[in-house]
Amino acid sequence: MIVIEGTVRIDPARIEQARPEMEAMIKASRAEPGCIDYAYAIDMLDPGLVRVAERWESREALKAHFASPHMAHWRSVIAGLGLTDRSLRLYEADPEDI
């Protein structure tokens, strides 16, 4: 399993403008083959901080995600949303119930 986690910053004044684009990205990504989970969460104490969490079945599924039309659209709109300070990390993990 591939896990991506990290943060991005969005100008807090543009969060409401960004919300429909983020929701569309989440819905489309969750519908992709190989997507286990895909989520954005706005930090309660830092409204411009968005936490990113993704889980994918494989690197191949993630590669297909990066080539998807909704990812191309997301890339085309993020600058206009004031998205900065992108800090994402990829991990390989073995799923384990705890």
Side-chain angles (χ1 to χ4, degrees), residues 36-67:
I36 300 168
D37 191 30
Y38 196 98
Y40 299 148
I42 298 168
D43 190 287
M44 297 297 293
L45 301 178
D46 186 349
L49 185 67
V50 178
R51 300 193 180 275
V52 177
E54 304 176 31
R55 290 184 296 148
W56 297 91
E57 289 179 358
S58 65
R59 284 188 180 264
E60 292 77 22
L62 182 60
K63 184 177 177 181
H65 167 68
F66 289 149

Side-chain angles (χ1 to χ4, degrees), residues 2-18:
I2 302 299
V3 177
I4 295 180
E5 67 83 25
T7 58
V8 297
R9 286 203 169 275
I10 295 178
D11 178 352
R14 293 187 176 147
I15 286 288
E16 289 309 310
Q17 177 188 356

Side-chain angles (χ1 to χ4, degrees), residues 25 28 32 64-76:
M25 182 64 177
E32 288 182 62
H65 167 68
F66 289 149
S68 69
H70 56 273
M71 184 62 137
H73 175 75
W74 175 247
R75 288 182 180 127
S76 75

Side-chain angles (χ1 to χ4, degrees), residues 20-37:
E21 295 291 351
M22 293 177 6
E23 288 176 4
M25 182 64 177
I26 292 166
K27 287 177 183 175
S29 297
R30 287 181 179 176
E32 288 182 62
C35 181
I36 300 168
D37 191 30

